[in-house]
Amino acid sequence: MAKKNARELIVKEGATQVGTTWIKQQPNPDEGMLTESEKFQLQEKERISLVSYDDEEIQDHYKIELAQPVNGLVFWYAYKPHVQIIE
């Protein structure tokens, strides 16, 4: 695991057609397989504080560790083309 320290994650402006991205418990779940507690949405340019991230575990997703839990969990996945990591 290539875990790296990070300060925050930012949703890139214009990266998605709808202006939001999903942060999920699984990087590539089947459509409709995640419950509401296994995903959350971030808006374009929204920032969230991180402790660390891994950019090698899953090719098109970062595995991120949040500074503050969401739905009681700190480890999540973010789609690389939609976000930027600030170290």
Side-chain angles (χ1 to χ4, degrees):
M1 181 181 222
K3 188 174 177 179
K4 301 174 185 174
N5 293 332
R7 287 187 305 127
E8 62 186 1
L9 174 144
I10 304 168
V11 179
K12 293 178 184 175
E13 185 174 3
T16 71
Q17 292 180 339
V18 295
T20 62
T21 193
W22 288 98
I23 307 301
K24 305 171 284 189
Q25 277 296 293
Q26 299 174 34
N28 295 306
D30 291 333
E31 190 67 32
M33 293 299 293
L34 294 177
T35 66
E36 289 302 312
S37 65
E38 294 176 314
K39 61 185 178 181
F40 66 96
Q41 210 168 26
L42 293 177
Q43 302 295 317
E44 202 171 78
K45 297 194 273 184
E46 189 170 352
R47 298 169 180 255
I48 191 166
S49 296
L50 300 181
V51 172
S52 65
Y53 73 103
D54 181 344
D55 64 349
E56 296 178 5
E57 182 176 328
I58 305 293
Q59 185 175 356
D60 60 351
H61 282 75
Y62 293 114
K63 182 175 184 180
I64 57 174
E65 181 181 3
L66 303 180
Q68 297 294 317
V70 172
N71 299 332
L73 302 166
V74 294
F75 291 103
W76 294 85
Y77 290 92
Y79 187 54
K80 288 180 181 180
H82 290 179
V83 300
Q84 177 182 357
I85 302 286
I86 305 297
E87 295 184 9

